[in-house]
Amino acid sequence: MIADTLELYRKYTGEETFSLAKSYDTMAQMWQERSEEYADRTAVEDNGKSYTFRTLAEDAAKFRTVLKNRGAKPSRIAILVPNSYDFVKAFIAVTTLGCTAVVLPAHLGDKAVFGCVSMFGAEMLITAPATEGAAALVAQARPDVPVVSVEETSEETTPCAQCSGSDGCAIVMTGGTTGSPKGALLSNAAVMQGTLNSCLGVPGAFYQRYMLVLPLSHVFGLIRNMLASLYSGSTLFICRENRNMFRDAAQFKPTFMVLVPALAEMALTLSKKFGKNMFGDSLRVIICGAANVPPYLISEYKKLGVELYPGYGLTESANLVSGNPENHKKPDSVGLIFPGMEYQIVDGELWLKGRNMMDCYVGREEPEAYSDGWFRTGDLVRMDDEGFLYITGRIKEVIVLPNGENISPAELEAKFNTLEYIQDSQVFEDVDDAGKHFLALEVVPRATETAKLGDIDLNAFLIAELRKINAELPSFARVSKITVRTSDFERTPSMKIVRYKKCQ
């Protein structure tokens, strides 16, 4: 089925913004046109300096010359550069030279960098002063791979190269459907579709002030934060250290932010504690995703005058699959699938096709991720009568109980998370001393809400409230043990909860 949501997104986006959301085939086309259109606007603010679109375009053109002089041709070029203006410049230079940017996390060690360069077939490596040490092994063992400093420049400029939408644009690391690290190869057309989708469903998405706190090596930060900002003529403020983000917000006064739920929750907790929006009174929109978004965040940010929009995406889909413009009417939905995307739901699993889908995995093949040309997301979903999508779990996380019942932990967690006193939860399979398997629940309390309860036995209170929810579940889905944690769950670099390993 093809998502016929164009007119709905037009309604939610607004005619003025919708008319500005132009489709491009390649990064080069988009960048040439938009950098000229926005030439005198500020594109990036970083480390105390401001750069206009004209300056960024010139710097990228000079760096294209550097790359060309070092032997770059249509190939794969790895970028090992922390969040910075230099990363933005390097990514634009590489992708508008007709090359594929292999985006590497800046925290990788030398062996991991060497492994990624080999696994992804990179023929050049761009570094910054902070990452030169991590490139040492490549420089020593792979003399055929030039290591280029992002600070190099030239007096000469090189124009954007001509390429097609089917040519590679970026390789972004992901765990895929199995959790094994690999790269998703995204074409120019896919990246441009993902960028276009960023501006749908949110009124006034152009000419904003974006603040970047997510890593640019993650597809959510790269496309929904950086490229959406450049595409929309907005200013991108780069927060280099998350510990400084509230200080930076006070200085920059962002209007749009792209956050994972854990960061949004942390900011909300501090906002309640200090009685003011920690991101400033100018903030009006938060785009939230990469993990389950609790409806609590939507309603509480509304009290601060901020609209928080949940969405759903994958590295393999150039980030965005759906967005929720009905964030208050349907707060537990990830929204409408974006226009023109093909989808089907097979045995509860979402399968996808579309312009924004990756070409393939690089580094590790995963043929089981495809079926007759459809990408199998591994996500269990349902869709309501109005076409709004709901994530109910992950296939690989399904617990098969001894009685044969299948349990989706995420679906149960969503029910326990409706309790305002619960910030996060995890349902998992445990085993007792006799070897009997059962369902267990661990929860992290939400401090801002539990503080209102006064001097009570918090542990007993929470367990009693959770048991009320538990009693409403089907008998086979009820948890047998509830634990209130005193610390957060272990989390991945993208702030997702690390799930406990399944019992054998």
Side-chain angles (χ1 to χ4, degrees), residues 360-406:
C360 62
Y361 285 123
V362 181
R364 281 188 179 88
E365 292 187 7
E366 198 170 304
E368 63 271 26
Y370 286 91
S371 181
D372 294 329
W374 290 90
F375 179 74
R376 303 180 58 173
T377 65
D379 288 314
L380 297 170
V381 304
R382 65 177 177 87
M383 186 174 283
D384 69 18
D385 293 340
E386 296 180 279
F388 280 76
L389 193 68
Y390 300 78
I391 307 296
T392 60
R394 291 281 294 166
I395 287 178
K396 68 180 181 181
E397 294 169 358
V398 167
I399 299 170
V400 181
L401 297 176
N403 62 6
E405 294 286 358
N406 290 353

Side-chain angles (χ1 to χ4, degrees), residues 6-282:
L6 182 63
E7 290 308 311
L8 279 174
Y9 268 105
R10 183 192 299 270
K11 179 186 77 170
Y12 290 123
T13 304
E15 198 60 45
E16 181 179 356
T17 298
F18 196 86
S19 67
L20 296 172
K22 179 179 177 180
S23 179
Y24 295 94
D25 286 331
T26 68
M27 266 291 298
Q29 290 174 358
M30 185 278 287
W31 181 243
Q32 283 180 292
E33 184 170 312
R34 297 278 162 145
S35 62
E36 290 178 7
E37 180 181 353
Y38 306 140
D40 295 323
R41 300 183 64 87
T42 300
V44 178
E45 291 190 16
D46 176 40
N47 206 26
K49 296 181 181 180
S50 296
Y51 304 86
T52 64
F53 278 86
R54 178 181 287 108
T55 299
L56 177 54
E58 291 173 353
D59 288 347
K62 291 176 181 178
F63 197 60
R64 283 195 294 266
T65 302
V66 171
L67 298 176
K68 185 181 70 173
N69 290 343
R70 293 296 295 272
K73 54 186 182 298
S75 60
R76 296 173 182 174
I77 298 178
I79 301 176
L80 184 68
V81 177
N83 282 15
S84 60
Y85 172 76
D86 281 338
F87 179 98
V88 180
K89 177 189 73 175
F91 185 85
I92 292 172
V94 169
T95 55
T96 59
L97 193 58
C99 299
T100 303
V102 180
V103 185
L104 301 181
H107 65 266
L108 293 181
D110 58 350
K111 292 181 181 178
V113 171
F114 179 84
C116 287
V117 166
S118 301
M119 181 167 65
F120 299 138
E123 298 178 27
M124 188 176 291
L125 175 62
I126 300 171
T127 65
T131 59
E132 287 176 355
L137 186 56
V138 172
Q140 176 186 352
R142 292 289 305 274
D144 57 313
V145 177
V147 177
V148 180
S149 170
V150 74
E151 294 186 335
E152 290 186 37
T153 188
S154 172
E155 293 299 317
E156 300 179 8
T157 60
T158 295
C160 293
Q162 298 300 314
C163 61
S164 70
S166 61
D167 291 332
C169 181
I171 294 176
V172 184
M173 292 181 68
T174 177
T177 59
T178 65
S180 301
K182 59 187 72 70
L185 174 58
L186 303 173
S187 68
N188 272 267
V191 170
M192 287 297 93
Q193 187 64 47
T195 304
L196 170 63
N197 289 347
S198 300
C199 295
L200 300 180
V202 182
F206 282 72
Y207 315 123
Q208 297 299 324
R209 296 173 63 79
Y210 275 86
M211 188 165 125
L212 174 75
V213 297
L214 301 180
L216 288 170
S217 56
H218 190 280
V219 74
F220 199 30
L222 179 70
I223 294 181
R224 186 57 190 87
N225 213 156
M226 184 188 91
L227 289 181
S229 178
L230 296 174
Y231 170 91
S232 63
S234 301
T235 299
L236 181 70
F237 181 98
I238 297 175
C239 173
R240 293 198 173 196
E241 297 285 347
N242 279 6
R243 63 187 177 185
N244 297 327
M245 64 180 170
F246 300 124
R247 182 198 69 186
D248 288 347
Q251 169 194 336
F252 178 64
K253 298 178 174 57
T255 57
F256 269 50
M257 292 202 68
V258 180
L259 298 174
V260 295
L263 284 177
E265 182 89 49
M266 181 186 72
L268 180 62
T269 298
L270 291 173
S271 296
K272 286 175 173 287
K273 178 179 179 180
F274 294 106
K276 63 177 183 178
N277 187 344
M278 297 300 290
F279 287 126
D281 294 336
S282 297

Side-chain angles (χ1 to χ4, degrees), residues 196-498:
L196 170 63
N197 289 347
S198 300
C199 295
L200 300 180
V202 182
F206 282 72
Y207 315 123
Q208 297 299 324
R209 296 173 63 79
Y210 275 86
M211 188 165 125
L212 174 75
V213 297
L214 301 180
L216 288 170
S217 56
H218 190 280
V219 74
F220 199 30
L222 179 70
I223 294 181
R224 186 57 190 87
N225 213 156
M226 184 188 91
L227 289 181
S229 178
L230 296 174
Y231 170 91
S232 63
S234 301
T235 299
L236 181 70
F237 181 98
I238 297 175
C239 173
R240 293 198 173 196
E241 297 285 347
N242 279 6
R243 63 187 177 185
N244 297 327
M245 64 180 170
F246 300 124
R247 182 198 69 186
D248 288 347
Q251 169 194 336
F252 178 64
K253 298 178 174 57
T255 57
F256 269 50
M257 292 202 68
V258 180
L259 298 174
V260 295
L263 284 177
E265 182 89 49
M266 181 186 72
L268 180 62
T269 298
L270 291 173
S271 296
K272 286 175 173 287
K273 178 179 179 180
F274 294 106
K276 63 177 183 178
N277 187 344
M278 297 300 290
F279 287 126
D281 294 336
S282 297
L283 184 68
R284 68 178 191 84
V285 168
I286 292 175
I287 305 298
C288 201
N292 176 61
V293 179
Y296 172 87
L297 292 179
I298 298 171
S299 59
E300 291 301 302
Y301 268 104
K302 180 68 173 179
K303 296 174 184 177
L304 296 176
V306 178
E307 291 292 346
L308 186 145
Y309 294 101
Y312 164 67
L314 308 158
T315 306
E316 294 88 345
S317 66
N319 188 214
L320 293 167
V321 172
S322 66
N324 186 0
E326 292 281 12
N327 53 336
H328 297 289
K329 180 181 176 183
K330 300 173 184 283
D332 51 346
S333 171
V334 292
L336 296 163
I337 291 180
F338 283 108
M341 183 149 211
E342 294 184 68
Y343 70 93
Q344 58 177 323
I345 299 173
V346 181
D347 295 329
E349 181 185 14
L350 181 64
W351 292 14
L352 297 171
K353 280 183 181 179
R355 185 171 182 258
N356 60 315
M357 298 305 296
M358 71 171 184
D359 290 348
C360 62
Y361 285 123
V362 181
R364 281 188 179 88
E365 292 187 7
E366 198 170 304
E368 63 271 26
Y370 286 91
S371 181
D372 294 329
W374 290 90
F375 179 74
R376 303 180 58 173
T377 65
D379 288 314
L380 297 170
V381 304
R382 65 177 177 87
M383 186 174 283
D384 69 18
D385 293 340
E386 296 180 279
F388 280 76
L389 193 68
Y390 300 78
I391 307 296
T392 60
R394 291 281 294 166
I395 287 178
K396 68 180 181 181
E397 294 169 358
V398 167
I399 299 170
V400 181
L401 297 176
N403 62 6
E405 294 286 358
N406 290 353
I407 300 295
S408 170
E411 197 165 10
L412 297 185
E413 289 156 6
K415 296 183 183 299
F416 291 117
N417 290 346
T418 58
L419 193 64
E420 65 269 29
Y421 305 111
I422 301 303
Q423 177 174 311
D424 277 308
S425 63
Q426 181 168 184
V427 172
F428 58 98
E429 184 182 13
D430 207 346
V431 60
D432 62 19
D433 294 339
K436 182 181 178 181
H437 291 241
F438 62 91
L439 291 178
L441 168 69
E442 290 187 5
V443 299
V444 175
R446 180 174 279 121
T448 53
E449 298 301 322
T450 57
K452 301 174 183 176
L453 296 173
D455 187 19
I456 64 168
D457 185 336
L458 180 61
N459 199 71
F461 172 80
L462 292 178
I463 289 176
E465 293 298 304
L466 291 164
R467 282 176 176 164
K468 292 177 184 178
I469 297 173
N470 195 43
E472 297 174 357
L473 300 174
S475 58
F476 67 84
R478 292 172 189 163
V479 299
S480 302
K481 179 183 177 182
I482 300 175
T483 303
V484 178
R485 293 174 61 94
T486 57
S487 61
D488 195 8
F489 292 105
E490 181 185 355
R491 295 183 181 270
T492 67
S494 60
M495 300 300 287
K496 293 180 182 178
I497 293 172
V498 175

